Amino acid sequence: MKDVLDIIVEVCVLYKQNKSITMFNKHITSSIILSLVFISCKNEPSKKEQNAGKEASVETSQGQQVNLPAPYASESATKFSNVIGWPEGKTLIASEGFTA
């Protein structure tokens, strides 16, 4: 992919340097650049797919071996609260000296 990006940068530099490029050549150059950009965007597997089943074993500073599960092997720790609102007819009552 780095090679493709290097080619794109070279073409862009040459494109800027040449002031007498015809309209047809501009379209051809633009088409080549777009084609190279699309080629460089490979359909790679996600990180989740790449790391599936890759467990790791590490050693702590005290010399203990710890076996870690593969990335994405467990459910996400992000939990969202369930907002339920006030029951009908009930409202917040503020203590004396406070407002709500």
Side-chain angles (χ1 to χ4, degrees):
M1 180 158 150
K2 185 173 169 102
D3 296 333
V4 174
L5 293 177
D6 290 339
I7 293 170
I8 291 171
V9 169
E10 270 185 56
V11 170
C12 290
V13 168
L14 292 172
Y15 185 77
K16 278 186 157 186
Q17 289 176 350
N18 191 352
K19 306 277 188 210
S20 63
I21 295 178
T22 65
M23 194 59 138
F24 177 75
N25 287 343
K26 284 183 181 180
H27 289 297
I28 295 293
T29 306
S30 298
S31 298
I32 291 170
I33 290 172
L34 284 174
S35 298
L36 291 172
V37 168
F38 286 124
I39 289 170
S40 67
C41 298
K42 296 177 184 173
N43 189 11
E44 294 179 5
S46 68
K47 288 194 181 239
K48 187 174 186 177
E49 292 168 346
Q50 288 174 353
N51 293 318
K54 290 185 181 177
E55 295 181 357
S57 182
V58 295
E59 189 174 321
T60 65
S61 59
Q62 284 82 26
Q64 298 172 327
Q65 278 300 111
V66 178
N67 294 324
L68 300 174
Y72 306 104
S74 59
E75 189 177 330
S76 175
T78 303
K79 300 288 183 187
F80 296 97
S81 59
N82 184 17
V83 180
I84 56 172
W86 288 92
E88 195 167 327
K90 300 276 184 169
T91 59
L92 179 69
I93 300 173
S95 300
E96 190 177 325
F98 293 94
T99 59

